[in-house]
Amino acid sequence: GPEWVESALAWLATAPAAVGVEGPTVSPPYNRLREMSVESDAAGGYLTANLAFRRDALTELDGFHEGFPFPHCEDYDLAYRAARLGPIGFAPGMSVLHHPRALSAAELGRRGRYAASEMLLFQRHRERFGHARHLPAIAFPFVSAVVGWTAIARREVRSPGDAARWLAVRGTGEGLWSH
């Protein structure tokens, strides 16, 4: 949004102990069975599409952890590490519009490889995953996918065609944090 920078700076000026701030990320309506987008309307979304950190925090953290095998989950890892240094706030004026993009069946299948990044995030931050923290790391992305796809199916399956598409892509490794 046009007030993004000003909103981030204004919020950080009022909260000197905060290490960062995020804002709402909205998406036009989209079909989660055929498209990918991200949305977050409250603190804790930690989407790099809409997150600002103080330079000294990023320097202390040495930026993104580069050990993730695929470009997935590194934003959550950075935010989780930053939150150990201090609070990450929420500024409603930091609004970002994230446009959905269509995903082919092949692209959905390739997203399954992101499970490796989800396992690494889980191993680095087990304490953030409630009862799931007791799972073996290798099981976490798969359990997460089942829970996530079940939630999507409840919202999105409205016809036999939708059900067929959902069944065709249900095991692609999408995690709970993948929107």
Side-chain angles (χ1 to χ4, degrees), residues 47-169:
L47 303 172
T48 49
N50 197 3
L51 187 59
F53 291 106
R54 294 186 191 276
R55 181 187 309 226
D56 57 341
L58 287 176
T59 300
E60 184 173 339
L61 296 168
D62 199 25
F64 287 106
H65 175 68
E66 295 183 13
F68 285 91
F70 296 97
H72 182 65
C73 298
E74 71 285 352
D75 47 358
Y76 293 104
D77 177 74
L78 178 64
Y80 294 164
R81 291 184 294 124
R84 292 177 187 152
L85 301 177
I88 299 171
F90 189 83
M94 286 178 59
S95 183
V96 168
L97 175 63
H98 192 278
H99 294 281
R101 65 178 173 88
L103 292 176
S104 68
E107 289 170 313
L108 283 168
R110 283 192 296 271
R111 290 186 65 80
R113 66 187 177 183
Y114 290 170
S117 290
E118 292 176 9
M119 286 187 331
L120 179 58
L121 179 74
F122 180 72
Q123 289 169 326
R124 291 174 58 89
H125 304 281
R126 279 181 182 267
E127 74 281 359
R128 300 197 62 95
F129 293 96
H131 294 296
R133 72 182 177 278
H134 301 295
L135 289 170
I138 197 165
F140 176 74
F142 303 105
V143 171
S144 176
V146 169
V147 172
W149 278 105
T150 300
I152 289 170
R154 285 185 182 142
R155 287 191 310 261
E156 299 293 326
V157 174
R158 307 276 186 249
S159 70
D162 282 346
R165 280 185 288 281
W166 183 79
L167 288 170
V169 299

